[in-house]
Amino acid sequence: MKPVVLVPLLAVIAACGGGGGGTAEPAKPTIVECMTPKVGVKFETDSWSESYTPGLLLYDFGDKRFEVLEKTFEGRPVLSIRAYSANTTASGAVYWHYDYAKAVVATSSGFQLLGAEGAIGEPRDGWRLVYSPPVTTPVTLAIGTPAVREYAGTLTRAVAGSAEEVSTISGQDRIELLGYEDITVADGQILQNVCKVKVSSEASSFIHEWYAAGYGLVAREVFDVDGKLVMRDLIARIEQAP
């Protein structure tokens, strides 16, 4: 991972204040509109971490590059959100290593996570997670009214020279829409009406996430069971805007 310099990449500006002059405020996007990226969008995030915290899912964090493609997953057309990790060579050069891809779709009822797939070292090895039913964030999610999301799926790990390993997973979390904010990214561009949500788990830790229409997830802060900020991911560079 490349060195991370902690700088105020994310400037949060209150977006809920009333404006005068008789100008009508534009309608706020739904949570589904915020969470849905557009095909072709590419951006990078920088990560800061206080320390390793047991119980937090850290694989999804770190300096990342994201791109969105059209693919099929389990025979269904999806948006494939591909994530790459930043790696630094001995000479200081940075290259991007493919980690995983999430398969998502936006429907009239909600934003659905169908599953994910990724690599385990060698290109011919890998894993595939299929949720049944899909993990759904409801389109009706309203400010201050949490919704429970259920995670039930089958994880298949394929390793060259060995039989496939198949296991089941289950769990749940709660997602709550906290409101809307405008955020300024590192290049000075302002993303408007960004959905801010709180995701809490059985482990009592919680996460704040920011979703911008056309981009999807653009920022995230992780808090431990004592409410201490331990990790932060922020959009830092935009390679291709929606």
Side-chain angles (χ1 to χ4, degrees):
M1 179 181 296
K2 61 186 176 183
V4 176
V5 179
L6 181 59
V7 293
L9 298 180
L10 178 63
V12 178
I13 307 172
C16 297
T23 302
E25 184 178 355
K28 303 295 186 185
T30 66
I31 186 62
V32 173
E33 291 171 332
C34 282
M35 296 180 79
T36 304
K38 288 188 176 180
V39 173
V41 68
K42 299 178 183 178
F43 62 88
E44 297 174 20
T45 60
D46 280 349
S47 180
W48 165 85
S49 176
E50 176 70 22
S51 62
Y52 172 75
T53 304
L56 295 179
L57 298 177
L58 301 182
Y59 179 78
D60 212 17
F61 293 83
D63 295 352
K64 298 284 187 183
R65 179 178 183 269
F66 295 92
E67 64 174 340
V68 181
L69 307 173
E70 288 182 311
K71 294 286 186 179
T72 58
F73 186 84
E74 296 293 298
R76 183 176 178 181
V78 300
L79 295 174
S80 178
I81 305 174
R82 295 176 63 88
Y84 303 80
S85 288
N87 293 269
T88 305
T89 65
S91 65
V94 176
Y95 69 96
W96 296 99
H97 176 268
Y98 168 68
D99 281 340
Y100 63 87
K102 293 183 177 179
V104 303
V105 293
T107 71
S108 59
S109 60
F111 182 81
Q112 297 184 339
L113 171 61
L114 276 62
E117 53 192 353
I120 310 174
E122 295 296 328
R124 60 184 178 278
D125 303 335
W127 57 268
R128 187 178 183 87
L129 174 61
V130 179
Y131 289 112
S132 182
V135 180
T136 302
T137 301
V139 69
T140 54
L141 190 69
I143 295 176
T145 305
V148 175
R149 298 186 296 191
E150 299 287 346
Y151 295 77
T154 302
L155 175 64
T156 303
R157 295 169 59 92
V159 180
S162 302
E164 287 187 343
E165 301 175 2
V166 180
S167 58
T168 59
I169 65 168
S170 62
Q172 65 175 217
D173 64 16
R174 298 200 325 159
I175 183 169
E176 178 183 355
L177 180 59
L178 300 180
Y180 297 87
E181 296 176 345
D182 293 351
I183 64 173
T184 303
V185 297
D187 60 4
Q189 181 174 342
I190 298 176
L191 304 180
Q192 297 181 323
N193 288 329
V194 177
C195 294
K196 180 181 180 180
V197 303
K198 178 181 179 181
V199 178
S200 53
S201 67
E202 298 171 353
S204 298
S205 58
F206 64 93
I207 302 173
H208 285 160
E209 296 178 338
W210 286 262
Y211 290 88
Y215 291 91
L217 183 64
V218 295
R220 183 165 37 185
E221 293 180 340
V222 182
F223 299 83
D224 64 15
V225 294
D226 298 318
K228 177 184 177 183
L229 177 64
V230 295
M231 184 168 290
R232 177 187 291 124
D233 277 352
L234 306 171
I235 187 170
R237 285 163 293 279
I238 298 174
E239 182 178 340
Q240 178 64 54

